[in-house]
């Protein structure tokens, strides 16, 4: 989260164009999706819906990484560990869903 915060701050500070605003909107969307996954997976214990949601989250993170990269390369690089972690969490979520299908 610290790296994501630094990344978002760099884009917010450096870019005042439409591309920068769009990238920051995508940043806010992926943060919301991150929160929603925690609620679906842990709160409601809906593994299948969590899987659907985390795939959407991962796609949003990848899009956000590229959008930030175009504005500030360091901001894009700072998103890579987050994307890797969510990719790993997606595999775990899918594995749990497959193991618990009825």
């Amino acid at each position: 989260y610290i790296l994501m915060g630094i990344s978002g701050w760099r884009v917010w500070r450096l870019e005042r164009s439409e591309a920068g605003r769009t990238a920051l909107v995508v940043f806010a969307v992926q943060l919301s999706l991150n929160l929603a996954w925690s609620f679906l997976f842990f709160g409601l214990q809906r593994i299948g819906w969590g899987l659907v949601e985390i795939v959407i989250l991962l796609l949003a993170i990848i899009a956000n990484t590229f959008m930030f990269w175009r504005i500030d390369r360091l901001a894009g690089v700072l998103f890579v560990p987050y994307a890797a972690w969510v990719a790993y969490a997606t595999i775990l979520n899918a594995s749990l869903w497959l193991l618990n299908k009825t």
Side-chain angles (χ1 to χ4, degrees):
Y1 287 104
I2 291 171
L3 296 179
M4 289 180 356
I6 293 168
S7 183
W9 173 77
R10 289 182 62 88
V11 170
W12 175 76
R13 183 179 58 92
L14 292 173
E15 188 64 38
R16 300 286 183 207
S17 70
E18 186 65 31
R21 284 189 290 277
T22 302
L24 290 172
V25 167
V26 173
F27 181 74
V29 167
Q30 66 82 20
L31 282 176
S32 299
L33 288 169
N34 187 313
L35 178 64
W37 179 82
S38 297
F39 179 71
L40 285 170
F41 188 83
F42 293 113
L44 296 178
Q45 298 180 358
R46 302 296 299 215
I47 297 170
W49 284 111
L51 180 58
V52 170
E53 201 279 343
I54 201 169
V55 168
I56 296 167
L57 170 61
L58 183 57
L59 293 173
I61 292 168
I62 292 167
N64 205 185
T65 302
F66 283 111
M67 294 172 93
F68 276 14
W69 173 271
R70 288 185 189 136
I71 295 166
D72 178 55
R73 288 185 187 228
L74 180 57
V77 169
L78 291 173
F79 248 66
V80 172
Y82 177 42
W85 174 252
V86 172
Y88 177 67
T90 302
I91 293 167
L92 290 177
N93 193 153
S95 298
L96 286 170
W97 180 73
L98 287 170
L99 290 170
N100 289 295
K101 269 190 348 183
T102 54

